[in-house]
Amino acid sequence: MTDENNIAQTLERVRQILETQSPSDAARVLLELHPADQAELFNELDEKQRDLLLPELDIASMADLLEELEDDEVLDAVDILSNERLADVLDEMEPDEAADLLGDLPAEQVTEVLSQMEDADEVLPLLGYTDESAGGLMTTWYIALRPRTTVAQALQFLRDVNPNIEVPYYLYVIDREKRLKGVVGLRQLVISAPETKIETIADPEVIFISSQEDQEEAARLMTRYDLTSLPVVDHELRLVGVITHDDIIDVLEDEATEDIYRLANMSDADLEPESPIREQIKGRLPWMYVNTLTALFASWVVTHFKSLIAEVAILAAFQSVVAGLGGNAGSQNVAMMVRAMALGKAEPKMIWKAFRKQVMVGILQGLAVGIVVGIFVALWQRNPVLGLILGLAMVFNMTLAGAIGTLIPFVLRYLGQDPAIASTILVTAATDSLGFFIFLGLATLFLNNLR
Amino acid sequence: MTDENNIAQTLERVRQILETQSPSDAARVLLELHPADQAELFNELDEKQRDLLLPELDIASMADLLEELEDDEVLDAVDILSNERLADVLDEMEPDEAADLLGDLPAEQVTEVLSQMEDADEVLPLLGYTDESAGGLMTTWYIALRPRTTVAQALQFLRDVNPNIEVPYYLYVIDREKRLKGVVGLRQLVISAPETKIETIADPEVIFISSQEDQEEAARLMTRYDLTSLPVVDHELRLVGVITHDDIIDVLEDEATEDIYRLANMSDADLEPESPIREQIKGRLPWMYVNTLTALFASWVVTHFKSLIAEVAILAAFQSVVAGLGGNAGSQNVAMMVRAMALGKAEPKMIWKAFRKQVMVGILQGLAVGIVVGIFVALWQRNPVLGLILGLAMVFNMTLAGAIGTLIPFVLRYLGQDPAIASTILVTAATDSLGFFIFLGLATLFLNNLR
C-alpha cells in the first residue's frame, strides 16, 4: 500500500484535466483518493487550481477534505465559499473540526454562518473551550443511552443515527441529569440478549476527564489505559463530549515537537521550515538574545584572564574544548531528563538517585575524554602541563554538567515551568562560564610550569 | 479521575498488609486497581514484596499485570515462576505481548515453556519477526471471516470466541488462501440484516502493511488514515496479524525519544536517568568522542591565530560568542528540519525554498544580534573596531548556520541516514570552526585599527 506514487500520478492527472477539461472532471479524479491523500494533493496545487477545484466537490466530500487540511490551509480554501455554502459544509463536518474552523474565522462571519447552519447546536457547545483543553479536543458526535434502554433498542438506535458518527464502538450510559454512569462496548452489546437492559452490561468504572483539563492529561489517560475514546464531563459530571484516538495522536506529536523545539531554544512549536520569516524571527530571536546574555557573561569571565592569555596565547585555542564538550554532556543530561518527565518516568522522589548516577556518568565521561584529549594535546603542543590542566578541567566541567543538567529540569518543573524551556540555555551558560573559569583558573595556578 | 493519589494510597495499604497479614489479602487490594495502575504500584514495591505478591495473583490477573510492565520489569518478575506456571500465564496474555516476553528469555527456556503452552500456535508465528518490523508489532488475536459468511453467523462467531480478543471492532475478510480481501466494521455488521453476506457489506479498499515493513511505516499509515487497527500481510498478501492503536502510540513515543536523543548526541533511545552506568556510557561516550574531534579541529583553527591573540588577547574573550551563537542558530534550524521530516512535512522538492528562507532568517537574526552585541562590546571595551568585526562575524556565521543547518538534514536523509543523527555535531563543527576563522580572520585584516 504505497500512497506517494499514487498521489503523484493523480496529481498529474488532476493538473492536466484542469488545464484541458472541466474542473468537475478533475474533482471526480481527486475523489478516487482517500481524503487524507486528497488533502496532500490539494496542497500541491496552486491557489488558482484550488479555487477552481473546491467548488466542484459535493458538500460531503468538501467536508471530508477540509477535515484533513491544516488550520491555515482550511482558512485559505474556504475563502471562496459563500457563507451559505460554508454553513452546509460545516453541518457535514465532525463537530470538533467544524468548531476549530469557526474558531479561526472573523467574529461577524461566525455569527452569520452559525445562523445558517442546521446543526449549530452540535458545534456551539464546543466553541467555548480553549484549544489546549480536553473540551477543545472533544466531539459532540457520540452515542449516549439511558440505563433502562434494552440492547434491542440500542441496536435500533445505532441503525437510525448518523452513520458518520466518529465513536460508534463505545456507547455511554447517562442518567436523567446527563451524568456519566457507565460505558458499554459495541461488542458486548452484540453478544447480549436483545431484552437485556444496558445497565446490566455497562461497566460503571468508566475513565473520564473534565472538560477544563489540559489536553495533555487527556493524552496521558488514553495512552496509559489504552483507550480509543475518552468521555469528557463538565463540573457536574455531565457527559458533554468524547475525545477520539486520532485527536490524541495529534496531541502527542505536538508535545514532542514542543519539547524538541524548546530544547533547541525555539518558543513557537508551529514553526516549519517554510513558515513566514516574520514568524520565524518571532519564535527564535528572543531566545537568541537570552543566549547572547549568557555568552557575554562567559566572555566577561574570560576578560579577567586577559593578561594570562596575552602571555600563553595557546590557551585561547583550547578553552572552547572544555566549554563545548561540557555543554554537550549537559545537553545529553537535559534531553534525557526532559524526555523522562514527558513520559512520566521521572518522579521527584527519584531525583537524588538520578543525580548521583549522572554525576558518576559525568566523572567517567570526563575521565574518558579528558585523558585522551590531555595526552593528545600534550604531545601535539609538546606541553605536558597544558595537557594536564586541559584534561583536569574537562573532568571537572563534565562532572558539573552531569550535576547541573540533571538538576535544572527538576528545578524548572518544581517552579511550575516546562522543564524543556530554557534548560539547555541554563546548562550551557553554566558549562561555558565555569568551563572557561576552571580551565583558565588552573592555567593561572600552573602558569610557571606552562610557559 | 485522578489515579496518582489512588495508587499512592493503595500502595500504602498493600505494603501494610504484606507486613502484617497474608500476601493473598494484599493481592486482593492490588486487583482493585486498573492493570496499568497495578503495574505502577508493583514497580514501587521492593523485590521481596514483589516476589511475595505475584504468586498470589490468579493466572488471568497475572497476565494483565505483566502486559503492562516494561520488558525488563517483566523479566525480573517472572523469575520466580515455574515454567509450567509461566506457560499458563503466556497462554492468557495477548500473543504479541507473550511473544515479546518469550523473545527476552534464554533459548532453552523458550523451548521448554512453548512445549507446555496450550496456545503456542498463536505465539509461534510472531517469534520470527524483528522488534522494529510491522510483524513484530502485530497480534494474532483478530477475527477473520470468509466472504460468504452471513451477518448472523459472524455475530454468533463473535459470541463464541475469546472475549479478550484485542481487535473486535474490525473484522477482516479473507479468501480460501487467507489473502486479505476486505474489512467490515462491527457497526456495519450490527446494522445489517442477519442473512446479508459479509462480502456485500465489506469494504474491499482495505489499507494494510507488509509484515517486513518498518514499524514506523505502520505508525505513519495509522496516523495518516486515522486507523484504530491495521492488518498485516505476508509476501503473498495473506493476512498474518493486526496492529492495534495502542502499539502505535508506543512507536510514536519511541520515535520522538529517538529524535530528541539523537539531536542531543545520544545513540541509545532506551537510556533513562536511572539506566545502569555502563549503558549510559555506551550510549553517550561514542558521540562525545566524535564531538571531541570536531572541537579539536576548531582548536586547530585557532592555533593559527596564536600570535594575533598574543597581541590582542581580548579577542579570546569574544571568539566564543561568535561560535556559540552560530551553533545555537544552527541547532534551531536542525531541530526544525528534523521535526518537519519526522512529520512528513519536508519533501526533497522544497529544499531550495526552505534554504532561501532559512538563509534570510540567518541574515536577519545575525543582524539583530550582531548589531546589539557589536555596539555593546564597542562601548564596554571602548574599542569600536572590535565591536565592528564581532558584529560582522556574527552576521556571517549565523547566515552560514542557517544554510548549513538546513542542508545537512537533507543531505543525511539523501544518504539514507536518519537526519537527526549527527546533524547537530556537523552543524556545530561548522559554526565553531568557521566562527573562529571568520572572527579571527577579520581581526587579522583590521589588526592595525584594533591595537
Side-chain angles (χ1 to χ4, degrees):
Chain A
M1 263 310 295
T2 146
D3 27 51
E4 291 308 327
N5 283 339
N6 195 6
I7 295 171
Q9 282 169 15
T10 313
L11 175 61
E12 265 327 292
R13 277 173 64 203
V14 167
R15 279 196 174 131
Q16 275 174 12
I17 297 174
L18 279 177
E19 273 170 36
T20 55
Q21 294 159 259
S22 79
S24 65
D25 290 335
R28 252 195 305 283
V29 172
L30 177 74
L31 292 181
E32 289 168 12
L33 297 176
H34 186 286
D37 298 335
Q38 291 172 23
E40 182 168 329
L41 186 155
F42 192 74
N43 280 328
E44 297 289 329
L45 298 173
D46 61 37
E47 206 186 322
K48 214 182 110 210
Q49 293 171 322
R50 288 200 294 260
D51 289 352
L52 274 175
L53 197 57
L54 190 71
E56 297 297 331
L57 300 180
D58 59 288
I59 296 291
S61 304
M62 211 187 286
D64 286 345
L65 172 62
L66 294 181
E67 281 171 2
E68 296 286 344
L69 294 175
E70 304 278 333
D71 290 354
D72 49 334
E73 297 161 0
V74 176
L75 274 192
D76 281 351
V78 301
D79 236 19
I80 52 158
L81 298 182
S82 69
N83 283 343
E84 204 187 328
R85 192 97 189 266
L86 182 57
D88 289 343
V89 176
L90 286 166
D91 275 330
E92 281 291 317
M93 284 173 73
E94 291 163 15
D96 50 340
E97 304 280 349
D100 284 350
L101 203 173
L102 283 168
D104 291 334
L105 292 178
E108 61 269 37
Q109 196 184 358
V110 173
T111 326
E112 171 72 17
V113 171
L114 274 172
S115 71
Q116 302 199 26
M117 281 179 68
E118 259 175 55
D119 300 328
D121 56 315
E122 287 174 350
V123 176
L124 268 172
L126 299 178
L127 292 176
Y129 297 100
T130 59
D131 270 1
E132 307 275 294
S133 69
L137 218 56
M138 70 190 187
T139 179
T140 48
W141 277 359
Y142 56 86
I143 297 170
L145 303 167
R146 298 294 305 281
R148 298 297 177 95
T149 315
T150 64
V151 165
Q153 287 168 328
L155 290 174
Q156 187 54 47
F157 184 68
L158 269 179
R159 287 185 194 100
D160 297 341
V161 293
N162 184 339
N164 287 325
I165 208 152
E166 258 191 289
V167 280
Y169 296 116
Y170 289 92
L171 299 93
Y172 297 97
V173 184
I174 53 174
D175 67 10
R176 197 183 298 264
E177 277 76 40
K178 285 203 70 182
R179 281 187 303 245
L180 181 63
K181 289 296 170 190
V183 61
V184 57
L186 185 52
R187 174 150 193 256
Q188 185 60 44
L189 203 69
V190 304
I191 66 176
S192 301
E195 68 280 6
T196 314
K197 293 256 184 297
I198 290 295
E199 61 188 349
T200 61
I201 53 170
D203 180 359
E205 298 268 319
V206 47
I207 293 169
F208 59 87
I209 191 169
S210 150
S211 60
Q212 302 299 332
E213 281 264 17
D214 196 279
Q215 59 176 5
E216 294 188 12
E217 176 64 11
R220 202 190 62 78
L221 282 175
M222 292 183 74
T223 307
R224 183 183 180 96
Y225 299 114
D226 288 345
L227 307 173
T228 50
S229 56
L230 176 68
V232 182
V233 300
D234 66 11
H235 56 285
E236 291 180 45
L237 300 183
R238 288 180 299 216
L239 182 64
V240 291
V242 171
I243 298 173
T244 52
H245 73 107
D246 48 320
D247 299 316
I248 284 312
I249 286 184
D250 294 339
V251 172
L252 292 174
E253 288 191 335
D254 287 350
E255 269 186 77
T257 304
E258 201 174 270
D259 277 351
I260 289 175
Y261 278 21
R262 288 182 171 173
L263 286 172
N265 300 326
M266 285 188 281
S267 53
D268 181 358
D270 289 332
L271 284 189
E272 289 175 24
E274 295 187 274
S275 301
I277 289 179
R278 173 201 295 269
E279 301 288 316
Q280 305 244 1
I281 299 287
K282 228 174 83 186
R284 294 172 57 172
L285 190 57
W287 288 108
M288 290 303 294
Y289 277 127
V290 178
N291 253 307
T292 304
L293 285 180
T294 67
L296 286 174
F297 179 79
S299 298
W300 173 78
V301 171
V302 179
T303 59
H304 291 93
F305 296 94
K306 205 164 77 172
S307 58
L308 171 76
I309 291 171
E311 205 169 333
V312 193
I314 193 69
L315 292 173
F318 295 108
Q319 61 186 20
S320 302
V321 177
V322 179
L325 290 174
N328 246 282
S331 303
Q332 290 180 335
N333 278 318
V334 166
M336 198 158 53
M337 297 307 305
V338 163
R339 196 59 190 151
M341 287 178 180
L343 297 178
K345 290 182 183 167
E347 301 305 317
K349 61 177 177 268
M350 67 172 269
I351 181 168
W352 292 116
K353 207 172 149 198
F355 181 76
R356 282 198 305 271
K357 190 158 261 171
Q358 292 309 317
V359 169
M360 183 53 72
V361 171
I363 294 174
L364 291 174
Q365 286 214 104
L367 285 171
V369 178
I371 290 174
V372 171
V373 171
I375 292 176
F376 175 77
V377 170
L379 295 173
W380 174 22
Q381 295 294 324
R382 298 206 186 93
N383 189 337
V385 179
L386 178 64
L388 180 71
I389 63 169
L390 183 57
L392 268 178
M394 291 183 80
V395 178
F396 277 128
N397 205 29
M398 287 207 195
T399 308
L400 226 125
I404 296 178
T406 309
L407 288 184
I408 283 182
F410 275 112
V411 172
L412 284 169
R413 191 172 62 171
Y414 179 78
L415 296 175
Q417 301 297 313
D418 178 344
I421 214 156
S423 273
T424 315
I425 286 192
L426 291 170
V427 172
T428 325
T431 49
D432 273 3
S433 307
L434 290 167
F436 289 149
F437 180 76
I438 295 167
F439 176 62
L440 297 174
L442 280 174
T444 310
L445 290 179
F446 288 91
L447 181 57
N448 289 329
N449 313 87
L450 203 58
R451 274 184 288 222
Chain B
M1 264 308 297
T2 147
D3 27 52
E4 291 307 328
N5 284 339
N6 195 6
I7 295 172
Q9 282 168 16
T10 313
L11 175 62
E12 266 326 292
R13 277 172 65 201
V14 167
R15 278 195 175 131
Q16 275 174 13
I17 298 175
L18 279 177
E19 272 170 35
T20 55
Q21 293 158 258
S22 79
S24 66
D25 291 332
R28 251 193 307 280
V29 172
L30 177 73
L31 292 182
E32 290 168 11
L33 298 177
H34 186 286
D37 298 334
Q38 292 172 25
E40 183 169 328
L41 187 154
F42 192 74
N43 280 330
E44 297 290 327
L45 298 172
D46 61 37
E47 205 186 323
K48 217 183 108 208
Q49 293 169 324
R50 287 200 294 261
D51 288 354
L52 274 174
L53 198 58
L54 191 70
E56 297 298 329
L57 300 180
D58 59 287
I59 294 295
S61 304
M62 210 186 289
D64 286 344
L65 172 62
L66 294 181
E67 281 172 1
E68 297 286 342
L69 294 174
E70 304 278 334
D71 290 355
D72 48 334
E73 296 161 0
V74 177
L75 273 191
D76 281 350
V78 301
D79 236 19
I80 51 159
L81 299 180
S82 68
N83 283 344
E84 205 186 329
R85 192 99 189 265
L86 183 56
D88 290 343
V89 175
L90 287 167
D91 275 330
E92 281 290 319
M93 285 172 73
E94 291 163 16
D96 49 341
E97 304 280 348
D100 284 350
L101 203 173
L102 282 167
D104 290 334
L105 293 177
E108 63 270 34
Q109 196 185 356
V110 174
T111 326
E112 172 72 17
V113 171
L114 274 173
S115 72
Q116 301 199 26
M117 280 178 68
E118 260 174 53
D119 301 329
D121 56 318
E122 288 175 347
V123 177
L124 269 171
L126 299 178
L127 292 176
Y129 296 101
T130 59
D131 271 359
E132 308 275 295
S133 69
L137 218 55
M138 70 189 185
T139 178
T140 48
W141 277 359
Y142 56 86
I143 298 170
L145 303 167
R146 298 293 304 281
R148 299 296 178 96
T149 314
T150 64
V151 166
Q153 287 168 327
L155 290 174
Q156 187 55 47
F157 184 67
L158 269 179
R159 290 187 191 97
D160 297 341
V161 292
N162 185 340
N164 287 324
I165 209 153
E166 261 191 284
V167 280
Y169 296 115
Y170 290 92
L171 300 93
Y172 297 96
V173 184
I174 53 173
D175 68 9
R176 197 183 298 266
E177 277 78 39
K178 286 202 71 186
R179 281 187 302 245
L180 180 63
K181 288 296 170 190
V183 62
V184 58
L186 185 52
R187 173 146 194 259
Q188 186 59 45
L189 202 69
V190 304
I191 66 176
S192 302
E195 67 281 7
T196 315
K197 293 256 185 296
I198 290 295
E199 59 188 348
T200 63
I201 52 171
D203 180 0
E205 297 268 320
V206 48
I207 294 169
F208 58 86
I209 191 169
S210 150
S211 59
Q212 303 298 331
E213 280 266 14
D214 195 280
Q215 58 176 5
E216 294 188 13
E217 176 63 11
R220 201 189 63 78
L221 282 176
M222 294 183 73
T223 307
R224 182 180 182 98
Y225 299 114
D226 289 345
L227 307 173
T228 51
S229 57
L230 177 68
V232 182
V233 300
D234 66 11
H235 56 284
E236 291 181 47
L237 300 183
R238 287 180 301 218
L239 182 64
V240 290
V242 171
I243 298 174
T244 53
H245 73 107
D246 49 318
D247 298 316
I248 285 311
I249 287 185
D250 294 340
V251 172
L252 291 174
E253 289 192 334
D254 288 351
E255 267 185 80
T257 304
E258 202 173 271
D259 277 351
I260 289 175
Y261 278 21
R262 287 183 172 173
L263 286 172
N265 300 325
M266 287 189 280
S267 53
D268 180 356
D270 289 332
L271 283 190
E272 289 175 24
E274 296 188 275
S275 301
I277 289 179
R278 175 200 295 267
E279 301 289 318
Q280 306 243 2
I281 300 286
K282 228 175 83 186
R284 295 172 56 172
L285 189 57
W287 288 108
M288 290 302 294
Y289 277 127
V290 179
N291 253 306
T292 304
L293 284 180
T294 68
L296 286 174
F297 179 79
S299 299
W300 174 77
V301 171
V302 179
T303 58
H304 292 91
F305 297 94
K306 206 164 78 172
S307 57
L308 170 75
I309 290 170
E311 207 168 331
V312 194
I314 194 68
L315 293 173
F318 295 107
Q319 60 184 19
S320 303
V321 178
V322 180
L325 289 174
N328 245 282
S331 303
Q332 290 179 336
N333 278 317
V334 166
M336 199 158 52
M337 296 308 305
V338 163
R339 195 59 190 154
M341 287 177 178
L343 297 178
K345 291 181 184 167
E347 300 305 316
K349 61 176 175 272
M350 67 172 269
I351 181 166
W352 292 116
K353 206 172 148 198
F355 180 76
R356 282 197 307 270
K357 190 158 258 172
Q358 292 310 317
V359 168
M360 184 53 71
V361 172
I363 293 174
L364 291 173
Q365 286 214 102
L367 285 170
V369 178
I371 291 174
V372 171
V373 172
I375 292 176
F376 175 78
V377 169
L379 295 172
W380 173 23
Q381 294 295 322
R382 300 206 183 93
N383 190 335
V385 178
L386 177 63
L388 181 71
I389 63 168
L390 183 56
L392 269 178
M394 290 181 81
V395 179
F396 277 128
N397 205 30
M398 287 206 196
T399 307
L400 226 125
I404 296 178
T406 309
L407 288 183
I408 284 182
F410 275 113
V411 172
L412 284 168
R413 192 172 63 168
Y414 179 79
L415 296 174
Q417 300 297 312
D418 177 345
I421 214 156
S423 273
T424 315
I425 288 193
L426 291 170
V427 172
T428 325
T431 50
D432 273 3
S433 307
L434 290 166
F436 290 149
F437 180 76
I438 295 167
F439 177 62
L440 297 174
L442 281 174
T444 310
L445 291 179
F446 288 90
L447 182 57
N448 289 327
N449 313 89
L450 202 59
R451 272 184 288 220

